[in-house]
Every structure is written in C-alpha cells, then in structure tokens.
Amino acid sequence: MDDYVNKEVVEIDKVIEGNQNGAMRRVTTETHPSAPDGSGRRLYGMVAVGFGMLCVLQVALNISLRLVSDSLTEERDQLPASYNDLIIERDQLDKEKEYTVGKCSNPGWNKFESCWYFVSSETKTWSESRQDCMERGADLMIVNSREKQRFLFALNKRAWIGLTDRETEGSWKWVDGTPLVTRYWTIDQPNNGGSVSTFPGEDCAVLRKGQDQPENTWNYINCAVKSICICELCNNNLL
C-alpha cells in the first residue's frame, strides 16, 4: 500500500514539474520574441525605400510649385507693361490708317515702299519748295538708298530734292541734318567732280531729267532757281 502511495506521489510531482517547465518556456517566449526572419527584413527595407521615395517626390513637387508660382508672379507683373505697349501699338495703327486713307484720297501722292511722295506742279525756289512740303506735313525727299534713286529716275523729272550745302560750303546735308553718304551726282557734278560749288548760290541739289544712267542724275544749281519738287512723307514721321 505504501509503495502504491509513493508511486502516485512521484507521478504527481512529475506532472507538476512538467507544468512548471511549460509555463517557464511560455514566459520566456513571450518576454523575448524571436528576431524577424529574412522575409521580414526585406519587408522593412521596402517600407523604408518607399518612404524615402515619397520624401523625394514631395521635395520635387514643392520645387515645381515654387517655380510655377514665380513664373505666374512675373507674368502678372509684366501685364501692365504689355497693356501699355498694346495701347501704343493701337494708337500707332490708328495714325497709320488715318495717314494712309488721307494720302489715298489725294491723287497727287504716290506710295513707294513705306513712304508717300508728292510731285508738285508749281515751280518754286528750293526754300519755297521745302516750305510747301512742310505745309503738307512732309519735307523734301531724302535719297538714302539705291531703290529710292531708281524710283526717282523712273519719274524723269527736273525737281528739287532735300540736299544742300548752304550751311557749310562743300558739306552736303539732307534736310533732316544727316550728312550725304551715298552720292548719285551726274558725272561732272558737283564742280567737275569736286565738292565745292563754282558759282555763288549753287548750293541746292536738283534732279536732272533725260539721263540714261539711273545712278547719275543729281545736279547742283542756284537755290533761287524755280523748279518743281518732290515731297516725302514716311510712316516714322508719324511718331
């Protein structure tokens, strides 16, 4: 009987000891979880990389929004200047329209390139001719290109142009004050190829008609001689 009791006691002790060991193992497992395996580490890495990319995208978005904002601010600041330029351009177009309509309604004016020309029918001195042109809102013609010279040649007129050396003998200037650069004198003018008039008062340039060389049609004569003239009015005179 005693042996039986002792055996039971031993069995009970084993059960109790086994339960205690199991409890200890559970406590240890709960207190010290095992480190993540390889798949867990990869997951953490992917999360970190994704977060980093989001940060980079946010910075790029902020920079783009700042650039757009600066550009819009600059365009806004330029609007008043652009508006003023449009007003000036509109007024200029209105002037040119009025100018063109006015000249087209007058059969005495002819257009060449960007300018209008009037050939007078009444003979006057050089000074009187210039005054007549100025009263028409124009001035005696300035010939500063080969195209203009050929245009004059086609007119085949003996007429005053806006060239004189009355201010300083031998220093030829146009009526706008610019010096003579390109010359279209006849072969023996002025003064047989020189620059100084032979006779007093020969200080004004006139076209000679009947010439056969388009670029040799100028002559200088006494400014008191009466002749017709050619008036010139260009768009830039409207400014």
Side-chain angles (χ1 to χ4, degrees):
M1 183 68 177
D2 291 337
D3 293 338
Y4 176 77
V5 171
N6 290 335
K7 184 176 180 180
E8 290 294 326
V9 170
V10 170
E11 292 295 331
I12 291 172
D13 290 340
K14 289 181 179 181
V15 170
I16 293 172
E17 183 179 357
N19 290 338
Q20 289 177 345
N21 291 336
M24 290 297 293
R25 284 195 296 272
R26 287 196 297 273
V27 171
T28 302
T29 302
E30 293 174 358
T31 305
H32 303 286
S34 60
D37 57 11
S39 62
R41 287 194 296 271
R42 287 195 296 272
L43 178 61
Y44 294 152
M46 292 173 64
V47 171
V49 171
F51 181 75
M53 293 179 65
L54 287 175
C55 292
V56 173
L57 290 175
Q58 181 65 46
V59 171
L61 179 60
N62 291 340
I63 294 175
S64 298
L65 290 176
R66 181 59 182 272
L67 292 175
V68 171
S69 177
D70 292 344
S71 177
L72 291 175
T73 301
E74 183 179 356
E75 291 181 2
R76 180 201 65 192
D77 295 339
Q78 292 176 351
L79 283 176
S82 299
Y83 176 76
N84 291 335
D85 290 342
L86 288 174
I87 294 297
I88 293 173
E89 184 177 356
R90 182 203 64 187
D91 292 343
Q92 177 64 18
L93 289 173
D94 288 342
K95 288 181 179 180
E96 291 184 5
K97 179 180 178 181
E98 180 181 356
Y99 155 82
T100 301
V101 170
K103 295 310 160 193
C104 287
S105 63
N106 188 337
W109 290 87
N110 296 290
K111 191 174 188 299
F112 176 72
E113 294 183 342
S114 62
C115 299
W116 291 83
Y117 297 91
F118 177 81
V119 180
S120 67
S121 57
E122 185 178 355
T123 60
K124 297 181 179 180
T125 67
W126 189 89
S127 296
E128 291 171 342
S129 295
R130 187 182 184 193
Q131 182 62 34
D132 183 49
C133 289
M134 295 177 70
E135 290 176 356
R136 300 175 188 273
D139 209 333
L140 288 173
M141 183 174 182
I142 296 174
V143 188
N144 51 14
S145 69
R146 179 173 297 177
E147 290 73 22
K148 279 189 177 183
Q149 173 60 25
R150 289 183 175 272
F151 168 72
L152 285 178
F153 175 78
L155 295 177
N156 194 26
K157 301 285 186 181
R158 181 180 184 274
W160 292 120
I161 59 175
L163 182 65
T164 180
D165 70 343
R166 300 174 71 178
E167 184 177 328
T168 302
E169 184 68 23
S171 178
W172 292 90
K173 292 183 179 180
W174 295 104
V175 288
D176 65 352
T178 57
L180 174 63
V181 177
T182 305
R183 305 163 183 264
Y184 299 105
W185 298 107
T186 55
I187 296 176
D188 59 343
Q189 298 293 330
N191 193 29
N192 294 323
S195 61
V196 181
S197 301
T198 305
F199 303 102
E202 292 187 333
D203 300 320
C204 297
V206 68
L207 295 177
R208 292 178 63 178
K209 66 177 182 178
Q211 302 298 303
D212 57 359
Q213 297 184 33
E215 298 178 13
N216 299 106
T217 60
W218 297 356
N219 188 18
Y220 71 94
I221 60 176
N222 193 304
C223 299
V225 173
K226 292 188 176 183
S227 178
I228 64 172
C229 69
I230 301 176
C231 304
E232 179 181 52
L233 179 60
C234 297
N235 290 348
N236 54 11
N237 295 134
L238 300 174
L239 300 177

